[in-house]
Amino acid sequence: MKFLDAFFAAGAETVIGDDRDAIRRAVVQAWQKATDFYDLGSLPLPEIDFGLRGRCAAQAGWRMSVHRGSRKASQLRLRFNLQAYAAHPAEMLNETVPHEIAHLIVVLRWGAKCRPHGAEWRSVMQECFALEPQRTHSLPLKPSRTLPRDFIYVCKCRKHCLTRIRHGRIARGQSVYRCRACGDILRRSD
């Protein structure tokens, strides 16, 4: 059973209503469930931002503060991609929101040194949200932009099209790139 099936059964709008309100309600519900499950007390909700674009459906973030020698998480933040929500509202609410909340719970409970999708995160996904832990989503999202590959470099076996960024690194002497196939250093085509 999906985490927010009750949310949808209660008549919550997905695409028709305000997308931001639906995500906020899902965050509130998942946050309350997780903080109660792990007995974390009454913590303030994380800041919610809707400016994420591209292939990423959502992100969890935090800043650590030091108080009397102990480190604790402060300024918890969630970022959501509204285009991903508009295309796949059920997946975003049922899977992505709990996925990102689980990251914040791991930081609050075990600290920021845990692996992003390690054992602690997997246990939160399974025990608290009763979801199969998956590192990445499978939503067919398009990148927010693509970088043109206008700079032609060659090696012993073929030519390579590099971006302006990689070309600039080579020109400034900051990087050397090698062909993965032949191991030759890439050099600018004449």
Side-chain angles (χ1 to χ4, degrees):
M1 182 169 159
K2 296 286 185 189
F3 168 64
L4 290 176
D5 280 347
F7 180 76
F8 284 110
E13 64 275 4
T14 56
V15 179
I16 299 169
D18 185 13
D19 297 346
R20 295 170 190 230
D21 287 342
I23 293 172
R24 280 189 190 103
R25 285 192 303 272
V27 167
V28 168
Q29 187 175 357
W31 184 252
Q32 189 64 49
K33 178 179 178 105
T35 56
D36 290 348
F37 187 87
Y38 289 103
D39 196 25
L40 295 175
S42 61
L43 294 170
L45 276 174
E47 175 188 338
I48 301 173
D49 178 301
F50 297 101
L52 193 59
R53 297 182 310 162
R55 288 188 175 158
C56 190
Q59 290 179 341
W62 56 87
R63 290 203 177 145
M64 301 301 287
S65 64
V66 178
H67 181 66
R68 295 186 184 175
S70 67
R71 296 175 63 87
K72 63 180 188 177
S74 62
Q75 296 182 345
L76 303 175
R77 182 177 184 196
L78 295 170
R79 298 178 67 208
F80 292 99
N81 183 335
L82 288 177
Q83 291 174 336
Y85 175 78
H88 310 282
E91 290 90 347
M92 288 287 290
L93 297 178
N94 282 322
E95 298 166 15
T96 306
V97 169
H99 176 115
E100 301 306 329
I101 294 287
H103 284 300
L104 298 181
I105 295 301
V106 167
V107 169
L108 291 171
R109 190 141 190 262
W110 291 284
K113 291 196 178 195
C114 294
R115 293 180 53 158
H117 297 102
E120 299 86 358
W121 176 82
R122 288 192 305 273
S123 73
V124 172
M125 289 295 288
Q126 291 170 333
E127 296 168 9
C128 178
F129 295 116
L131 291 172
E132 185 64 33
Q134 298 198 4
R135 290 182 57 228
T136 59
H137 65 78
S138 58
L139 305 177
L141 301 177
K142 295 179 182 172
S144 60
R145 66 182 178 126
T146 57
L147 294 175
R149 297 177 179 268
D150 296 335
F151 298 92
I152 308 299
Y153 281 74
V154 295
C155 66
K156 291 178 184 174
C157 66
R158 64 178 161 213
K159 70 178 184 177
H160 302 267
C161 300
L162 299 183
T163 64
R164 178 185 52 82
I165 294 169
R166 288 193 174 197
H167 167 70
R169 288 177 184 157
I170 292 171
R172 290 188 300 273
Q174 294 175 325
S175 296
V176 174
Y177 295 100
R178 293 183 177 272
C179 174
R180 289 185 180 174
C182 70
D184 190 26
I185 294 176
L186 303 185
R187 57 196 177 286
R188 183 84 191 257
S189 176
D190 294 329

